[in-house]
Amino acid sequence: MRDITSEEDVKLFIDAFYEKVKADAKIGYIFNEVADLNWEEHMPKIYRFWESILLGKPGFQGDVMGVHIRLNKKEKLTSDHFDKWIALFTETVREMYDGSVANEAINRANIIRRTMEYNILQSR
Ligand code: HEM
């Protein structure tokens, strides 16, 4: 297995991750029903987010913490939800890639998750 090195690599693992998320019994409904997403707008934002973190590519503009604080007001996001998100993310990256950038993806996801959960608790 090789490492994540390109925008195409990011797109491939994010698409695979979202297939798992949408089909998941615990968190799928938040994406499929609660958020009422326009997928054509949502997916490019997620690609840009991870391209900026993993490849240093400029161009992500978003309010990641604000988005989840607002989402939590519609549907309470629990530690169980976050555990499942991280488990699916980790599983997807591990299935597809191996190397320092793949490890960095998993590390950063965990760090952001902790910040996000903390911000959500503070906003309650
Ligand atoms: C329980 C865990 C999570 C759930 C259920 C969740 C769900 C969602 C949903 C439904 C949206 C779209 C919101 C909207 O546009 O109205 C969203 C956006 C997003 N999420 Fe999450 N999320 C979770 C955790 C995370 C984590 C841990 C990260 C990063 C490591 C992350 C990164 C993002 C990004 C980058 C966006 C796009 C922000 C933007 O539109 O500017 N999410 N999330």
Side-chain angles (χ1 to χ4, degrees):
M1 264 195 288
R2 55 182 194 78
D3 204 357
I4 299 166
T5 59
S6 69
E7 292 174 25
E8 183 60 21
D9 294 341
V10 169
K11 183 177 186 303
L12 283 173
F13 90 77
I14 292 299
D15 285 348
F17 170 58
Y18 266 80
E19 287 308 309
K20 291 184 200 257
V21 162
K22 285 195 256 184
D24 185 75
K26 195 170 269 168
I27 62 173
Y29 78 98
I30 303 175
F31 293 82
N32 298 324
E33 290 158 38
V34 175
D36 191 23
L37 280 174
N38 176 343
W39 291 102
E40 279 170 27
E41 285 176 15
H42 181 68
M43 296 311 291
K45 276 190 208 161
I46 303 297
Y47 304 147
R48 296 296 99 73
F49 177 73
W50 286 105
E51 284 163 12
S52 82
I53 291 178
L54 300 177
L55 307 175
K57 189 190 160 212
F60 175 76
Q61 287 202 323
D63 173 18
V64 181
M65 293 301 152
V67 161
H68 296 83
I69 286 171
R70 287 189 289 281
L71 183 60
N72 174 68
K73 295 196 191 300
K74 285 197 208 168
E75 178 74 13
K76 193 172 171 186
L77 300 180
T78 65
S79 285
D80 262 14
H81 290 139
F82 279 103
D83 284 348
K84 191 70 205 215
W85 191 105
I86 290 287
L88 295 177
F89 186 91
T90 305
E91 183 184 288
T92 310
V93 173
R94 291 272 178 253
E95 277 167 6
M96 298 177 69
Y97 298 105
D98 185 23
S100 61
V101 182
N103 291 340
E104 178 68 4
I106 292 165
N107 272 336
R108 292 295 290 268
N110 279 281
I111 292 166
I112 296 162
R113 173 256 170 104
R114 283 196 286 276
T115 310
M116 203 176 265
E117 257 196 295
Y118 177 80
N119 284 328
I120 284 170
L121 284 173
Q122 296 299 309
S123 76
R124 275 181 188 147

